[in-house]
Amino acid sequence: MDTAKIATALQLASSTRYIQIGPDTLYSVGAIFEKAFGDSPAVIVADDNTFAVAGQEVVRQLQTAGRKVAETLIFPGQPILYADFENVLKLQEKLQTIDAVPVSVGSGTLNDITKLAAHRLGRPYMVVATAASMDGYTAFGAAITKDGFKQTRSCPAPRAFLADLNVLVQAPGEMNSTGYGDLLGKITAGADWILADALEIEPIEPRAWSLVQDSLRKWTGEPAALHRGEPAAIQNLLEGLVMSGLAMQISQSSRPASGSEHRFSHLWEMQALGHGEPAIPHGYKVGIGTLASAALYEQVLERDLSKLDVEALCKAWPAQSQVESRIRAAFDLPMLVESSLQESLAKYINTDQLRQRLLLLKHKWPQLRERLKQQMLSTKELRDLLEAAGCPTDPAQIGIDAARLKESYELARYIRSRYTILDLIYETGFWTIV
């Protein structure tokens, strides 16, 4: 673990003050808790599975340290727990009756539920991770579904984070794979941020960028070892995921870790909720989304955008009313229509603004193209990495057929206001390459 880099990141982070990753760190939970929360009592939040693998030991260690520990709040292990607003309210109601600091023992879902419930009560909280499965542990915001729509809700990250490598290596291999898919997506997320920065839409925050991108190739460089469950590879993966979360704290946004690849993932997740389809692990969807985005980059980078016919593109630019009509016709779920209208109209630009953006793109394209080439890996390279990590590499493996994938290139652009490669190909008239 790069303790020096993590220490630097903690100095910049908005909420997290203590991080400990390594073997046997569960035995340090009492000391970490005291540093973070003083003499406050604790309450463990877990499910049946995570309580068995780590929660019991956390309770034991806190009690051994002389800490008052309230009765554990345990969600059922089955059926699968979802990070939806109803579960946030259930936990909030229980926490209201307990004057204690919540300690979430689990992975993504439990973390997001606890994060938002604690925030709504004005309390700090702690996380004990049980799998290297996603980057949300130390992230600003919680991804919560309400009325079938997934949205990142503003709330602080944990004050303290602990992960015991002895616990992480016991997690199902699928969880390492989904964490890898989430982390590999930072390649296309970085490319999208480069685009938004160059077009003066959303400037790169250098400190957040550095935390994610400087070591990304190292963190994602041993997928086969990760798939074999080697402890060093798992620790390496978790470090990358934790640093991504800290970068989001610094920027107070998910931009350092989320781009077009996450647009695909969020679209498919909301469609699955609306149509009652089986849930697919987040990182698997991000991995397929990364391949979809990379395929776009490969085609765009072959073109000379310095020769765009700006006036022709401006003449063909749709009016806002036309965009609204298209969105209403494109989605079959009312919740997605309304949310997509809000997000898409927020980023809509008029013809004059489009002209200015395209002229800027033409001027910057030679240098911008080289920078994007340095950032990206080829679709084949990304596919090989995902396959070695045990991730799906064919959309059909996660229930997305060819027709649905093609449709997703349009729909994914509508669901978020963030500028990505999906917007670039629309504005430059290259939509036909999909």
Side-chain angles (χ1 to χ4, degrees), residues 281-299:
H282 171 71
Y284 285 178
K285 297 192 294 287
V286 172
I288 296 296
T290 300
L291 296 177
S293 297
L296 283 184
Y297 271 106
E298 283 188 342
Q299 295 193 57

Side-chain angles (χ1 to χ4, degrees), residues 195 198-200 300 304-308 310 313 354-369 372 419 423-425 427-430:
L195 278 180
L199 297 178
E200 300 178 0
V300 168
D304 185 358
L305 302 190
S306 65
K307 296 181 179 179
L308 288 173
V310 173
L313 290 168
L354 176 66
R355 181 179 291 107
Q356 294 174 11
R357 182 174 293 174
L358 293 177
L359 289 173
L360 182 62
L361 175 62
K362 287 184 65 172
H363 173 69
K364 291 189 172 182
W365 183 244
Q367 294 77 25
L368 176 57
R369 176 161 58 175
L372 289 169
Y419 193 90
D423 298 289
L424 181 83
I425 65 169
E427 293 173 355
T428 55
F430 288 127

Side-chain angles (χ1 to χ4, degrees), residues 197-209:
D197 177 75
L199 297 178
E200 300 178 0
I201 299 167
E202 189 172 359
I204 288 175
E205 208 294 333
R207 299 169 302 177
W209 172 273

Side-chain angles (χ1 to χ4, degrees), residues 235-254:
Q235 181 167 320
N236 212 27
L237 170 64
L238 184 65
E239 181 180 322
L241 295 169
V242 167
M243 295 298 280
S244 297
L246 293 174
M248 287 187 264
Q249 286 190 49
I250 292 169
S251 65
Q252 295 289 283
S253 163
S254 61

Side-chain angles (χ1 to χ4, degrees), residues 47-64:
D47 64 25
D48 289 329
N49 302 317
T50 63
F51 185 70
V53 300
Q56 285 181 310
E57 187 60 34
V58 170
V59 171
R60 185 179 300 113
Q61 291 300 321
L62 288 171
Q63 290 176 335
T64 299

